[in-house]
Amino acid sequence: MPLIGTVPKIAIVGPSRCGKDTAGEYLGRHTYLRYNGSLSRALLPLIAKELKVSEEQAWVEPHTKYEYWQRFCDHFRENNACALVRLALQTTDLIIGSRSKREIEDAQDNDLIDLTIWIASGVPKDPTLEFGPEVADIVIENNDELFVFQHKLKQLSKALGIWRDHTYAY
């Protein structure tokens, strides 16, 4: 059980391809945090129903129908900036991939998120991202080998008291 009593809710943000999902998967395997995919995964059943396709088919289409997914997300949180975060928190402790500044700030202000981590890497600027590292509590660099990135996540998890005692390091 975590040392801090309750499992924190953590947002992991940054530009596309910076390592957010990698961080989420790693933390989900090695900590007390539940990880069920990005915010897109939380919306998947609703989008599949709207498109009248299977979830599997809708899931392979976010990159080909990116504008549709973005409009759907914007509409979903139109009257409640935290709606998507609240939906995701039903099945995960990690909010991965928010692109809306209002969504992140409102989730922080409403205590839905305990810690916001910006993943900094050398990837190109992401035009869909409405904010930068200024919304984060901490920044983790991801410019080295995978094991270095994982070590940083492990050390943070230990400091937060959420690391599970494993017999293996990574």
Side-chain angles (χ1 to χ4, degrees):
M1 199 52 143
L3 296 176
I4 58 176
T6 60
V7 175
K9 306 304 183 201
I10 298 174
I12 301 176
V13 295
S16 293
R17 316 302 302 161
C18 70
K20 298 181 300 286
D21 290 308
T22 300
E25 291 166 4
Y26 181 80
L27 292 172
R29 278 193 316 270
H30 298 288
T31 70
Y32 293 102
L33 301 175
R34 296 173 301 155
Y35 175 65
N36 194 31
S38 67
L39 289 177
S40 298
R41 181 66 75 177
L43 275 181
L44 179 60
L46 301 175
I47 288 180
K49 184 177 179 181
E50 180 75 19
L51 293 173
K52 297 179 173 82
V53 299
S54 69
E55 288 185 20
E56 294 78 21
Q57 184 177 353
W59 186 246
V60 298
E61 294 179 350
H63 296 292
T64 60
K65 294 189 176 186
Y66 193 79
E67 289 178 13
Y68 175 83
W69 276 71
Q70 189 169 11
R71 282 194 317 274
F72 191 96
C73 289
D74 290 344
H75 178 71
F76 188 82
R77 60 180 168 245
E78 188 172 48
N79 296 321
N80 179 350
C82 298
L84 184 49
V85 171
R86 288 183 195 281
L87 176 67
L89 287 173
Q90 294 175 17
T91 60
T92 190
D93 300 312
L94 294 160
I95 300 301
I96 308 288
S98 177
R99 301 216 166 321
S100 166
K101 184 172 187 175
R102 186 169 156 239
E103 177 177 66
I104 281 293
E105 290 177 342
D106 282 7
Q108 292 167 330
D109 292 345
N110 287 291
D111 295 323
L112 297 176
I113 296 172
D114 301 306
L115 180 71
T116 303
I117 301 169
W118 176 269
I119 305 297
S121 67
V123 297
K125 185 174 177 355
D126 184 344
T128 67
L129 195 55
E130 297 176 0
F131 55 85
E134 75 280 353
V135 303
D137 301 302
I138 63 172
V139 174
I140 296 179
E141 294 284 335
N142 183 19
N143 293 318
D144 299 304
E145 297 292 327
L146 179 60
F147 76 92
V148 174
F149 184 49
Q150 290 173 334
H151 177 75
K152 293 172 185 178
L153 295 169
K154 179 181 179 180
Q155 294 307 104
L156 175 63
S157 299
K158 285 180 167 184
L160 293 174
I162 57 173
W163 184 257
R164 286 189 283 163
D165 188 19
H166 292 315
T167 56
Y168 51 91
Y170 297 99

Tab-separated table of all heavy atoms in Angstrom, residues 103-151:
chain	number	residue	atom	x	y	z
A	103	GLU	N	-8.745	22.389	-19.447
A	103	GLU	CA	-9.010	21.087	-18.841
A	103	GLU	C	-8.005	20.787	-17.728
A	103	GLU	O	-8.390	20.419	-16.622
A	103	GLU	CB	-8.939	20.003	-19.917
A	103	GLU	CG	-9.131	18.590	-19.406
A	103	GLU	CD	-9.106	17.606	-20.548
A	103	GLU	OE1	-8.031	17.452	-21.186
A	103	GLU	OE2	-10.155	17.001	-20.819
A	104	ILE	N	-6.732	20.954	-18.013
A	104	ILE	CA	-5.695	20.678	-17.019
A	104	ILE	C	-5.817	21.626	-15.832
A	104	ILE	O	-5.790	21.214	-14.674
A	104	ILE	CB	-4.283	20.761	-17.647
A	104	ILE	CG1	-3.986	19.482	-18.420
A	104	ILE	CG2	-3.199	20.989	-16.621
A	104	ILE	CD1	-3.846	18.238	-17.557
A	105	GLU	N	-5.957	22.914	-16.106
A	105	GLU	CA	-6.028	23.885	-15.013
A	105	GLU	C	-7.269	23.686	-14.155
A	105	GLU	O	-7.198	23.768	-12.924
A	105	GLU	CB	-5.963	25.312	-15.569
A	105	GLU	CG	-4.592	25.640	-16.114
A	105	GLU	CD	-4.492	27.019	-16.740
A	105	GLU	OE1	-5.530	27.628	-17.076
A	105	GLU	OE2	-3.342	27.480	-16.897
A	106	ASP	N	-8.409	23.398	-14.777
A	106	ASP	CA	-9.619	23.142	-13.995
A	106	ASP	C	-9.502	21.855	-13.184
A	106	ASP	O	-9.961	21.792	-12.041
A	106	ASP	CB	-10.851	23.083	-14.893
A	106	ASP	CG	-11.350	24.455	-15.327
A	106	ASP	OD1	-10.656	25.463	-15.046
A	106	ASP	OD2	-12.416	24.517	-15.955
A	107	ALA	N	-8.892	20.830	-13.759
A	107	ALA	CA	-8.695	19.577	-13.017
A	107	ALA	C	-7.772	19.806	-11.823
A	107	ALA	O	-7.995	19.250	-10.738
A	107	ALA	CB	-8.138	18.499	-13.938
A	108	GLN	N	-6.743	20.609	-12.003
A	108	GLN	CA	-5.854	20.952	-10.889
A	108	GLN	C	-6.612	21.765	-9.837
A	108	GLN	O	-6.539	21.466	-8.643
A	108	GLN	CB	-4.643	21.748	-11.388
A	108	GLN	CG	-3.692	20.949	-12.244
A	108	GLN	CD	-2.688	21.829	-12.987
A	108	GLN	OE1	-2.960	22.972	-13.337
A	108	GLN	NE2	-1.509	21.263	-13.247
A	109	ASP	N	-7.343	22.781	-10.266
A	109	ASP	CA	-8.077	23.653	-9.345
A	109	ASP	C	-9.152	22.909	-8.569
A	109	ASP	O	-9.472	23.267	-7.434
A	109	ASP	CB	-8.723	24.823	-10.100
A	109	ASP	CG	-7.707	25.806	-10.660
A	109	ASP	OD1	-6.519	25.765	-10.238
A	109	ASP	OD2	-8.092	26.608	-11.533
A	110	ASN	N	-9.744	21.875	-9.172
A	110	ASN	CA	-10.794	21.087	-8.520
A	110	ASN	C	-10.248	19.862	-7.799
A	110	ASN	O	-11.008	18.962	-7.439
A	110	ASN	CB	-11.850	20.677	-9.549
A	110	ASN	CG	-12.717	21.843	-9.964
A	110	ASN	OD1	-13.505	22.337	-9.172
A	110	ASN	ND2	-12.551	22.312	-11.189
A	111	ASP	N	-8.931	19.814	-7.633
A	111	ASP	CA	-8.259	18.726	-6.903
A	111	ASP	C	-8.531	17.342	-7.487
A	111	ASP	O	-8.536	16.342	-6.766
A	111	ASP	CB	-8.629	18.755	-5.415
A	111	ASP	CG	-8.125	20.015	-4.737
A	111	ASP	OD1	-7.019	20.475	-5.081
A	111	ASP	OD2	-8.840	20.554	-3.857
A	112	LEU	N	-8.751	17.285	-8.798
A	112	LEU	CA	-8.875	15.993	-9.463
A	112	LEU	C	-7.500	15.421	-9.759
A	112	LEU	O	-7.350	14.212	-9.915
A	112	LEU	CB	-9.666	16.137	-10.767
A	112	LEU	CG	-11.108	16.601	-10.624
A	112	LEU	CD1	-11.737	16.783	-11.993
A	112	LEU	CD2	-11.911	15.619	-9.778
A	113	ILE	N	-6.510	16.297	-9.868
A	113	ILE	CA	-5.135	15.908	-10.154
A	113	ILE	C	-4.258	16.401	-9.005
A	113	ILE	O	-4.321	17.569	-8.632
A	113	ILE	CB	-4.664	16.527	-11.490
A	113	ILE	CG1	-5.486	15.970	-12.651
A	113	ILE	CG2	-3.175	16.266	-11.706
A	113	ILE	CD1	-5.228	16.660	-13.974
A	114	ASP	N	-3.462	15.483	-8.461
A	114	ASP	CA	-2.573	15.830	-7.349
A	114	ASP	C	-1.206	16.299	-7.817
A	114	ASP	O	-0.543	17.055	-7.113
A	114	ASP	CB	-2.394	14.617	-6.429
A	114	ASP	CG	-3.714	14.134	-5.864
A	114	ASP	OD1	-4.432	14.965	-5.270
A	114	ASP	OD2	-4.041	12.941	-6.030
A	115	LEU	N	-0.787	15.821	-8.982
A	115	LEU	CA	0.540	16.136	-9.484
A	115	LEU	C	0.487	16.137	-11.006
A	115	LEU	O	-0.087	15.227	-11.611
A	115	LEU	CB	1.553	15.079	-9.011
A	115	LEU	CG	2.998	15.245	-9.451
A	115	LEU	CD1	3.636	16.430	-8.725
A	115	LEU	CD2	3.785	13.974	-9.161
A	116	THR	N	1.092	17.146	-11.626
A	116	THR	CA	1.164	17.209	-13.080
A	116	THR	C	2.623	17.135	-13.499
A	116	THR	O	3.446	17.917	-13.023
A	116	THR	CB	0.516	18.505	-13.625
A	116	THR	OG1	-0.838	18.564	-13.159
A	116	THR	CG2	0.532	18.529	-15.142
A	117	ILE	N	2.919	16.171	-14.364
A	117	ILE	CA	4.283	15.940	-14.844
A	117	ILE	C	4.349	16.281	-16.324
A	117	ILE	O	3.552	15.776	-17.118
A	117	ILE	CB	4.686	14.458	-14.652
A	117	ILE	CG1	4.606	14.056	-13.185
A	117	ILE	CG2	6.083	14.207	-15.224
A	117	ILE	CD1	4.734	12.550	-12.955
A	118	TRP	N	5.301	17.125	-16.678
A	118	TRP	CA	5.574	17.439	-18.086
A	118	TRP	C	6.722	16.544	-18.533
A	118	TRP	O	7.754	16.490	-17.872
A	118	TRP	CB	5.967	18.908	-18.239
A	118	TRP	CG	6.348	19.288	-19.638
A	118	TRP	CD1	7.607	19.263	-20.176
A	118	TRP	CD2	5.496	19.746	-20.679
A	118	TRP	NE1	7.575	19.674	-21.489
A	118	TRP	CE2	6.285	19.988	-21.827
A	118	TRP	CE3	4.112	19.984	-20.761
A	118	TRP	CZ2	5.757	20.446	-23.024
A	118	TRP	CZ3	3.588	20.446	-21.961
A	118	TRP	CH2	4.408	20.670	-23.077
A	119	ILE	N	6.542	15.835	-19.641
A	119	ILE	CA	7.612	15.034	-20.214
A	119	ILE	C	8.283	15.884	-21.295
A	119	ILE	O	7.669	16.225	-22.307
A	119	ILE	CB	7.096	13.710	-20.827
A	119	ILE	CG1	6.300	12.901	-19.804
A	119	ILE	CG2	8.264	12.909	-21.402
A	119	ILE	CD1	7.079	12.432	-18.603
A	120	ALA	N	9.523	16.251	-21.032
A	120	ALA	CA	10.287	17.079	-21.972
A	120	ALA	C	11.163	16.169	-22.821
A	120	ALA	O	11.836	15.280	-22.310
A	120	ALA	CB	11.162	18.075	-21.211
A	121	SER	N	11.115	16.381	-24.103
A	121	SER	CA	11.958	15.610	-25.009
A	121	SER	C	12.229	16.466	-26.245
A	121	SER	O	11.695	17.557	-26.382
A	121	SER	CB	11.284	14.287	-25.394
A	121	SER	OG	10.146	14.527	-26.169
A	122	GLY	N	13.007	15.954	-27.122
A	122	GLY	CA	13.390	16.712	-28.305
A	122	GLY	C	12.431	16.596	-29.467
A	122	GLY	O	12.813	16.846	-30.598
A	123	VAL	N	11.180	16.233	-29.213
A	123	VAL	CA	10.219	16.077	-30.311
A	123	VAL	C	9.771	17.449	-30.809
A	123	VAL	O	9.841	18.445	-30.083
A	123	VAL	CB	8.999	15.234	-29.875
A	123	VAL	CG1	9.421	13.832	-29.501
A	123	VAL	CG2	8.239	15.900	-28.742
A	124	PRO	N	9.294	17.514	-32.044
A	124	PRO	CA	8.836	18.793	-32.592
A	124	PRO	C	7.656	19.373	-31.804
A	124	PRO	O	6.923	18.648	-31.122
A	124	PRO	CB	8.390	18.437	-34.012
A	124	PRO	CG	9.029	17.132	-34.320
A	124	PRO	CD	9.214	16.426	-33.010
A	125	LYS	N	7.454	20.671	-31.931
A	125	LYS	CA	6.331	21.356	-31.284
A	125	LYS	C	5.028	20.704	-31.738
A	125	LYS	O	4.869	20.344	-32.898
A	125	LYS	CB	6.363	22.835	-31.669
A	125	LYS	CG	5.317	23.662	-30.968
A	125	LYS	CD	5.509	25.136	-31.297
A	125	LYS	CE	4.514	26.078	-30.724
A	125	LYS	NZ	3.402	25.699	-30.017
A	126	ASP	N	4.108	20.558	-30.809
A	126	ASP	CA	2.820	19.933	-31.076
A	126	ASP	C	1.761	21.023	-31.229
A	126	ASP	O	1.405	21.679	-30.248
A	126	ASP	CB	2.468	18.998	-29.913
A	126	ASP	CG	1.192	18.219	-30.126
A	126	ASP	OD1	0.393	18.587	-31.004
A	126	ASP	OD2	0.983	17.240	-29.387
A	127	PRO	N	1.247	21.247	-32.443
A	127	PRO	CA	0.291	22.340	-32.651
A	127	PRO	C	-1.052	22.122	-31.955
A	127	PRO	O	-1.817	23.070	-31.799
A	127	PRO	CB	0.125	22.386	-34.169
A	127	PRO	CG	0.480	21.023	-34.638
A	127	PRO	CD	1.517	20.514	-33.671
A	128	THR	N	-1.360	20.894	-31.522
A	128	THR	CA	-2.628	20.632	-30.858
A	128	THR	C	-2.559	20.876	-29.354
A	128	THR	O	-3.580	20.866	-28.678
A	128	THR	CB	-3.080	19.174	-31.092
A	128	THR	OG1	-2.171	18.281	-30.436
A	128	THR	CG2	-3.138	18.847	-32.571
A	129	LEU	N	-1.385	21.110	-28.834
A	129	LEU	CA	-1.185	21.298	-27.395
A	129	LEU	C	-1.341	22.769	-27.043
A	129	LEU	O	-0.645	23.619	-27.591
A	129	LEU	CB	0.216	20.786	-27.026
A	129	LEU	CG	0.538	20.553	-25.574
A	129	LEU	CD1	-0.441	19.614	-24.906
A	129	LEU	CD2	1.946	19.985	-25.459
A	130	GLU	N	-2.248	23.076	-26.121
A	130	GLU	CA	-2.573	24.468	-25.774
A	130	GLU	C	-1.720	25.032	-24.638
A	130	GLU	O	-1.988	26.137	-24.172
A	130	GLU	CB	-4.042	24.572	-25.379
A	130	GLU	CG	-5.004	24.217	-26.486
A	130	GLU	CD	-6.455	24.250	-26.032
A	130	GLU	OE1	-6.729	24.559	-24.850
A	130	GLU	OE2	-7.319	23.961	-26.870
A	131	PHE	N	-0.740	24.287	-24.167
A	131	PHE	CA	0.067	24.741	-23.037
A	131	PHE	C	1.459	24.158	-23.133
A	131	PHE	O	1.745	23.345	-24.005
A	131	PHE	CB	-0.588	24.354	-21.703
A	131	PHE	CG	-0.880	22.871	-21.593
A	131	PHE	CD1	0.089	21.987	-21.173
A	131	PHE	CD2	-2.128	22.382	-21.912
A	131	PHE	CE1	-0.168	20.626	-21.085
A	131	PHE	CE2	-2.407	21.021	-21.823
A	131	PHE	CZ	-1.421	20.148	-21.407
A	132	GLY	N	2.301	24.571	-22.234
A	132	GLY	CA	3.661	24.070	-22.155
A	132	GLY	C	3.964	23.629	-20.736
A	132	GLY	O	3.045	23.421	-19.932
A	133	PRO	N	5.226	23.518	-20.392
A	133	PRO	CA	5.606	23.006	-19.079
A	133	PRO	C	5.180	23.901	-17.913
A	133	PRO	O	5.252	23.475	-16.760
A	133	PRO	CB	7.127	22.899	-19.163
A	133	PRO	CG	7.533	23.737	-20.317
A	133	PRO	CD	6.361	23.795	-21.251
A	134	GLU	N	4.689	25.094	-18.197
A	134	GLU	CA	4.269	25.979	-17.111
A	134	GLU	C	3.097	25.427	-16.305
A	134	GLU	O	2.892	25.820	-15.162
A	134	GLU	CB	3.915	27.379	-17.659
A	134	GLU	CG	2.598	27.477	-18.396
A	134	GLU	CD	2.620	26.978	-19.838
A	134	GLU	OE1	3.710	26.652	-20.354
A	134	GLU	OE2	1.543	26.918	-20.462
A	135	VAL	N	2.323	24.501	-16.857
A	135	VAL	CA	1.194	23.928	-16.112
A	135	VAL	C	1.632	22.794	-15.186
A	135	VAL	O	0.860	22.350	-14.351
A	135	VAL	CB	0.081	23.397	-17.052
A	135	VAL	CG1	-0.428	24.481	-17.977
A	135	VAL	CG2	0.526	22.170	-17.821
A	136	ALA	N	2.872	22.357	-15.325
A	136	ALA	CA	3.344	21.178	-14.592
A	136	ALA	C	3.957	21.545	-13.249
A	136	ALA	O	4.493	22.623	-13.052
A	136	ALA	CB	4.367	20.421	-15.432
A	137	ASP	N	3.874	20.573	-12.342
A	137	ASP	CA	4.534	20.691	-11.044
A	137	ASP	C	5.998	20.293	-11.146
A	137	ASP	O	6.844	20.855	-10.466
A	137	ASP	CB	3.829	19.806	-10.010
A	137	ASP	CG	2.376	20.194	-9.848
A	137	ASP	OD1	2.108	21.360	-9.511
A	137	ASP	OD2	1.505	19.329	-10.084
A	138	ILE	N	6.258	19.296	-11.996
A	138	ILE	CA	7.634	18.853	-12.223
A	138	ILE	C	7.823	18.519	-13.699
A	138	ILE	O	6.855	18.263	-14.415
A	138	ILE	CB	8.028	17.630	-11.353
A	138	ILE	CG1	7.173	16.420	-11.690
A	138	ILE	CG2	7.955	17.953	-9.871
A	138	ILE	CD1	7.654	15.155	-11.011
A	139	VAL	N	9.072	18.531	-14.124
A	139	VAL	CA	9.440	18.190	-15.499
A	139	VAL	C	10.399	17.009	-15.438
A	139	VAL	O	11.337	17.011	-14.649
A	139	VAL	CB	10.120	19.388	-16.205
A	139	VAL	CG1	10.631	18.991	-17.584
A	139	VAL	CG2	9.159	20.576	-16.295
A	140	ILE	N	10.137	16.024	-16.264
A	140	ILE	CA	11.039	14.879	-16.388
A	140	ILE	C	11.559	14.854	-17.814
A	140	ILE	O	10.779	14.838	-18.775
A	140	ILE	CB	10.338	13.547	-16.042
A	140	ILE	CG1	9.904	13.547	-14.584
A	140	ILE	CG2	11.261	12.364	-16.345
A	140	ILE	CD1	9.178	12.285	-14.156
A	141	GLU	N	12.863	14.871	-17.951
A	141	GLU	CA	13.496	14.807	-19.270
A	141	GLU	C	13.432	13.370	-19.800
A	141	GLU	O	13.668	12.421	-19.055
A	141	GLU	CB	14.968	15.238	-19.180
A	141	GLU	CG	15.160	16.689	-18.822
A	141	GLU	CD	14.881	17.637	-19.971
A	141	GLU	OE1	14.985	17.223	-21.148
A	141	GLU	OE2	14.550	18.791	-19.683
A	142	ASN	N	13.144	13.250	-21.074
A	142	ASN	CA	13.143	11.956	-21.742
A	142	ASN	C	13.961	12.076	-23.029
A	142	ASN	O	13.430	11.986	-24.124
A	142	ASN	CB	11.723	11.486	-22.043
A	142	ASN	CG	11.691	10.111	-22.669
A	142	ASN	OD1	12.650	9.343	-22.576
A	142	ASN	ND2	10.596	9.788	-23.333
A	143	ASN	N	15.229	12.313	-22.872
A	143	ASN	CA	16.111	12.453	-24.029
A	143	ASN	C	17.204	11.393	-24.050
A	143	ASN	O	18.087	11.439	-24.896
A	143	ASN	CB	16.755	13.840	-24.046
A	143	ASN	CG	15.725	14.917	-24.292
A	143	ASN	OD1	14.851	14.765	-25.133
A	143	ASN	ND2	15.802	15.996	-23.539
A	144	ASP	N	17.149	10.472	-23.114
A	144	ASP	CA	18.187	9.461	-22.998
A	144	ASP	C	17.637	8.097	-23.379
A	144	ASP	O	16.592	7.990	-24.009
A	144	ASP	CB	18.708	9.434	-21.549
A	144	ASP	CG	19.309	10.768	-21.139
A	144	ASP	OD1	20.224	11.237	-21.831
A	144	ASP	OD2	18.851	11.331	-20.132
A	145	GLU	N	18.317	7.088	-22.963
A	145	GLU	CA	17.863	5.720	-23.187
A	145	GLU	C	16.608	5.441	-22.345
A	145	GLU	O	16.386	6.082	-21.318
A	145	GLU	CB	18.970	4.736	-22.786
A	145	GLU	CG	20.230	4.870	-23.600
A	145	GLU	CD	20.036	4.445	-25.036
A	145	GLU	OE1	19.239	3.520	-25.306
A	145	GLU	OE2	20.680	5.048	-25.911
A	146	LEU	N	15.828	4.452	-22.759
A	146	LEU	CA	14.612	4.091	-22.053
A	146	LEU	C	14.885	3.794	-20.584
A	146	LEU	O	14.140	4.233	-19.706
A	146	LEU	CB	13.938	2.893	-22.736
A	146	LEU	CG	12.657	2.390	-22.084
A	146	LEU	CD1	11.592	3.482	-22.056
A	146	LEU	CD2	12.149	1.152	-22.821
A	147	PHE	N	15.954	3.073	-20.286
A	147	PHE	CA	16.215	2.705	-18.897
A	147	PHE	C	16.487	3.931	-18.025
A	147	PHE	O	16.189	3.934	-16.830
A	147	PHE	CB	17.353	1.673	-18.782
A	147	PHE	CG	18.739	2.226	-18.963
A	147	PHE	CD1	19.482	2.655	-17.877
A	147	PHE	CD2	19.296	2.317	-20.232
A	147	PHE	CE1	20.759	3.162	-18.047
A	147	PHE	CE2	20.569	2.833	-20.409
A	147	PHE	CZ	21.312	3.263	-19.315
A	148	VAL	N	17.033	4.999	-18.607
A	148	VAL	CA	17.267	6.240	-17.855
A	148	VAL	C	15.924	6.895	-17.533
A	148	VAL	O	15.691	7.334	-16.405
A	148	VAL	CB	18.186	7.203	-18.640
A	148	VAL	CG1	18.317	8.541	-17.935
A	148	VAL	CG2	19.554	6.572	-18.868
A	149	PHE	N	15.030	6.957	-18.515
A	149	PHE	CA	13.688	7.505	-18.312
A	149	PHE	C	12.948	6.695	-17.245
A	149	PHE	O	12.349	7.254	-16.324
A	149	PHE	CB	12.943	7.493	-19.648
A	149	PHE	CG	11.574	8.104	-19.625
A	149	PHE	CD1	11.338	9.351	-19.060
A	149	PHE	CD2	10.506	7.446	-20.210
A	149	PHE	CE1	10.068	9.924	-19.060
A	149	PHE	CE2	9.240	8.006	-20.227
A	149	PHE	CZ	9.023	9.243	-19.644
A	150	GLN	N	13.026	5.380	-17.347
A	150	GLN	CA	12.367	4.520	-16.368
A	150	GLN	C	12.952	4.721	-14.965
A	150	GLN	O	12.219	4.714	-13.976
A	150	GLN	CB	12.476	3.059	-16.789
A	150	GLN	CG	11.641	2.747	-18.002
A	150	GLN	CD	11.869	1.345	-18.525
A	150	GLN	OE1	12.926	0.749	-18.337
A	150	GLN	NE2	10.868	0.804	-19.212
A	151	HIS	N	14.242	4.896	-14.878
A	151	HIS	CA	14.880	5.132	-13.574
A	151	HIS	C	14.340	6.415	-12.938
A	151	HIS	O	14.068	6.450	-11.733
A	151	HIS	CB	16.405	5.200	-13.723
A	151	HIS	CG	17.104	5.498	-12.439
A	151	HIS	ND1	17.248	4.554	-11.436
A	151	HIS	CD2	17.666	6.644	-11.977
A	151	HIS	CE1	17.879	5.108	-10.418
A	151	HIS	NE2	18.144	6.370	-10.722
